[in-house]
Amino acid sequence: MKRRPRRSIPATICALAALAVSVVVGVVAVQMILGQTPWINYLVAARSLHEIHWNDLIPAVAGAVIAGVGVVLLLTALLPGKPTVLPLAGDLPSGATRHSLRSTLRAAGSTVDGVNGLALNLRGRKISATVRTDRTNTSGLADAVRAALQNRLDQIDPARTPKIRIRVRATRSQS
């Protein structure tokens, strides 16, 4: 159960590009049928394209741009994105969304005495937590937050237990 995000951005880009080309071709075709002056004059466009040679700079740049866009769209379609649902251990296929896991862990870490704020980042197999505190003596706070997060992870029981990295930021300096 590793749900990946949909590829909506590349699909939207391709659909909008196809729509724009279709609208221009349709409008020009209707204008030609009605006998009006079309937006794009076919004879002028054909003449200017006929004068361009394959070894000129314009076809090379246009080809490179089109190939680059194609490679980017292909990579976004083939490479997996961040999983939106993280698998949980157990016999039944189940999972937790990244958002719910992050908010649950943030709530667990915020209950530790001395923690004023907690920022969490889930990246791959790592959890990075930045703890803000008003304490002047921060010794043991990182271990307490790590223990709270590890306890909550043990309750959730993900298929792969991530490594936890804690940073403590004190608003007051030690004197």
Side-chain angles (χ1 to χ4, degrees):
M1 173 167 224
K2 292 184 181 180
R3 292 190 184 151
R4 303 282 180 177
R6 292 191 172 95
R7 304 295 190 233
S8 57
I9 292 175
T12 303
I13 291 171
C14 290
L16 288 175
L19 177 67
V21 169
S22 299
V23 166
V24 169
V25 168
V27 168
V28 169
V30 169
Q31 286 176 336
M32 289 176 73
I33 289 172
L34 295 176
Q36 297 177 353
T37 305
W39 285 350
I40 300 172
N41 190 344
Y42 175 75
L43 295 176
V44 173
R47 189 177 305 123
S48 62
L49 288 175
H50 183 69
E51 293 172 358
I52 296 175
H53 297 286
W54 284 107
N55 55 359
D56 287 343
L57 182 63
I58 293 173
V61 170
V65 167
I66 291 171
V69 168
V71 166
V72 168
L73 289 174
L74 185 65
L75 287 176
T76 57
L78 293 178
L79 295 177
K82 286 192 298 188
T84 56
V85 177
L86 302 173
L88 300 178
D91 296 335
L92 296 175
S94 58
T97 63
R98 298 177 67 79
H99 177 72
S100 65
L101 182 63
R102 187 173 39 245
S103 63
T104 301
L105 291 174
R106 188 179 304 125
S110 296
T111 60
V112 175
D113 187 35
V115 174
N116 288 349
L118 182 68
L120 275 170
N121 285 326
L122 296 175
R123 290 191 180 150
R125 298 181 191 172
K126 296 178 187 174
I127 296 175
S128 299
T130 303
V131 178
R132 289 184 309 275
T133 183
D134 287 336
R135 288 184 176 182
T136 56
N137 185 3
T138 60
S139 62
L141 187 60
D143 294 331
V145 172
R146 182 177 287 111
L149 294 180
Q150 189 61 50
N151 183 29
R152 186 56 60 106
L153 279 174
D154 291 341
Q155 291 172 352
I156 295 171
D157 196 22
R160 293 182 179 174
T161 304
K163 294 181 181 179
I164 301 172
R165 194 178 117 233
I166 308 288
R167 279 189 285 173
V168 178
R169 304 278 172 139
T171 56
R172 298 180 188 176
S173 63
Q174 296 180 4
S175 304

